[in-house]
């Protein structure tokens, strides 16, 4: 989430990958657009996956994100730039790019394929909305509220982690 | 129910201090590894909470497709939300 607050730093990270030629990059303003859109998509998609809201589009977007990240890493590995930071951050940590990262992203993509190919689990917002009792206050109190509380709780914890980290290790 | 929802968050908050301490002592790699394991643990806790709240018959089976789906959803969701 702190990518959204530190877009300049993330933009420099994207530019480090050198995906587009520099003349094309200056014309298309590729990295400023990505520095805003990627964190936003990550945030929305993360919430959707956890709550089970619009699960299939969220899973497809996640798949596209991991494919984009893996493609960028692969391109730089083939160029021999092994000293480049992956700028992954968060729970995944920050490492230099390597084949291991491609494998890790492959495993995460496998997890998303599994979500797409298996039947929807019962405790998702999608399932709640499609149930016959959808819309009743009792249903939302008994099932919707815990999901909302969970999502808010997790967001608060992640935000606190990032704030504590930036206080302890100011750049 | 609210208490059950809040408990993983409080657990997260209370156990953040060891990571902060280790980073202060420059044991950054160690702190990062433990933190990653910790995120996995939080995912498992949230999974158990999800199953408990749903009151579903999947409680009878330790592992099934639905449990794996829930675990993966929470894990990937946490990874994306925590991405710095």
């Amino acid at each position: 989430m702190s990518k959204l607050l530190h877009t300049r730093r993330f933009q420099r990270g994207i530019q480090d990958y050198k995906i587009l030629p520099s003349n094309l990059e200056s014309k298309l303003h590729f990295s400023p657009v990505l520095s805003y859109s990627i964190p936003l998509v990550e945030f929305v998609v993360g919430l959707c996956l956890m709550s089970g809201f619009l699960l299939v589009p969220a899973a497809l977007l996640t798949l596209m994100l991991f494919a984009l990240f893996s493609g960028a890493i692969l391109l730089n590995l083939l160029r021999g730039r092994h000293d480049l930071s992956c700028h992954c951050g968060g729970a995944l940590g920050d490492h230099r790019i390597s084949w291991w990262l491609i494998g890790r992203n492959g495993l995460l993509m496998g997890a998303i394929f599994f979500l797409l190919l298996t039947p929807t689990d019962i405790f998702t917002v999608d399932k709640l909305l499609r149930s016959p009792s959808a819309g009743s206050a009792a249903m939302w109190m008994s099932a919707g509220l815990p999901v909302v509380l969970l999502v808010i709780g997790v967001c608060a914890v992640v935000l606190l982690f990032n704030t504590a980290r930036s206080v302890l290790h100011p750049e | 129910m609210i208490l059950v929802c809040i408990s993983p968050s409080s657990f997260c908050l209370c156990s953040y201090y060891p990571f902060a301490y280790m980073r202060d002592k420059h044991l950054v790699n160690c702190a990062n590894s433990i933190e990653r394991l910790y995120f996995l643990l939080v995912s498992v806790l949230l999974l158990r909470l999800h199953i408990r709240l749903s009151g579903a018959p999947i409680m009878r089976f330790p592992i099934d497709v639905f449990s794996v789906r829930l675990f993966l959803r929470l894990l990937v969701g946490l990874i994306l939300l925590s991405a710095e």
Side-chain angles (χ1 to χ4, degrees):
Chain A
M1 275 192 284
S2 70
K3 274 181 194 170
L4 282 168
L5 303 172
H6 303 103
T7 45
R8 283 279 168 87
R9 191 175 64 186
F10 185 49
Q11 190 180 325
R12 279 198 299 275
I14 294 169
Q15 284 165 344
D16 281 349
Y17 271 90
K18 295 188 173 135
I19 298 165
L20 280 187
S22 53
N23 55 343
L24 208 61
E25 157 71 36
S26 57
K27 275 182 200 166
L28 293 176
H29 302 293
F30 182 62
S31 51
V33 173
L34 283 184
S35 69
Y36 282 99
S37 55
I38 288 180
L40 202 65
V41 172
E42 276 181 346
F43 180 72
V44 174
V45 158
L47 283 181
C48 287
L49 282 179
M50 291 189 76
S51 63
F53 180 61
L54 297 174
L55 198 55
V56 173
L60 288 173
L61 268 175
T62 310
L63 210 55
M64 282 166 65
L65 271 180
F66 283 129
L68 177 75
F69 298 153
S70 303
I73 293 171
L74 185 69
L75 195 68
N76 280 283
L77 281 175
L78 293 175
R79 285 171 179 162
R81 300 180 68 212
H82 294 265
D83 56 338
L84 188 67
S85 168
C86 76
H87 297 284
C88 311
L92 293 176
D94 232 347
H95 315 274
R96 294 191 174 184
I97 58 167
S98 63
W99 292 103
W100 149 243
L101 289 184
I102 302 275
R104 186 192 67 186
N105 284 356
L107 283 176
L108 290 170
M109 285 164 84
I112 299 296
F113 272 120
F114 182 82
L115 288 180
L116 286 169
L117 296 175
T118 51
T120 313
D121 47 286
I122 45 169
F123 208 67
T124 61
V125 173
D126 281 347
K127 205 83 169 175
L128 285 176
L129 289 173
R130 268 188 259 122
S131 71
S133 58
S136 74
M139 189 275 289
W140 283 107
M141 286 304 286
S142 62
L145 186 65
V147 176
V148 172
L149 283 172
L150 254 179
V151 171
I152 292 172
V154 169
C155 287
V157 168
V158 172
L159 199 65
L160 198 84
F161 270 27
N162 290 333
T163 312
R165 197 177 293 171
S166 59
V167 169
L168 286 166
H169 300 279
E171 285 186 31
Chain B
M1 197 171 274
I2 290 170
L3 276 176
V4 174
C5 284
I6 290 170
S7 59
S9 314
S10 343
F11 180 61
C12 288
L13 299 185
C14 296
S15 52
Y16 182 71
Y17 290 101
F19 304 134
Y21 175 78
M22 283 194 283
R23 287 208 176 83
D24 275 357
K25 297 286 174 191
H26 308 292
L27 298 169
V28 178
N29 285 337
C30 184
N32 285 345
S33 310
I34 296 173
E35 196 175 11
R36 249 164 271 153
L37 279 175
Y38 177 69
F39 263 93
L40 206 66
L41 181 70
V42 172
S43 305
V44 174
L45 275 174
L46 288 172
L47 165 70
R48 289 183 64 83
L49 174 71
H50 246 78
I51 293 173
R52 175 71 59 88
L53 287 173
S54 68
I58 52 171
M59 284 290 285
R60 291 180 208 148
F61 310 103
I63 294 175
D64 64 359
V65 175
F66 291 148
S67 313
V68 176
R69 276 183 63 92
L70 279 168
F71 175 73
L72 293 177
R73 264 176 48 212
L74 293 170
L75 185 68
V76 179
L78 264 175
I79 285 172
L80 287 171
L81 280 181
S82 77
E84 270 189 301

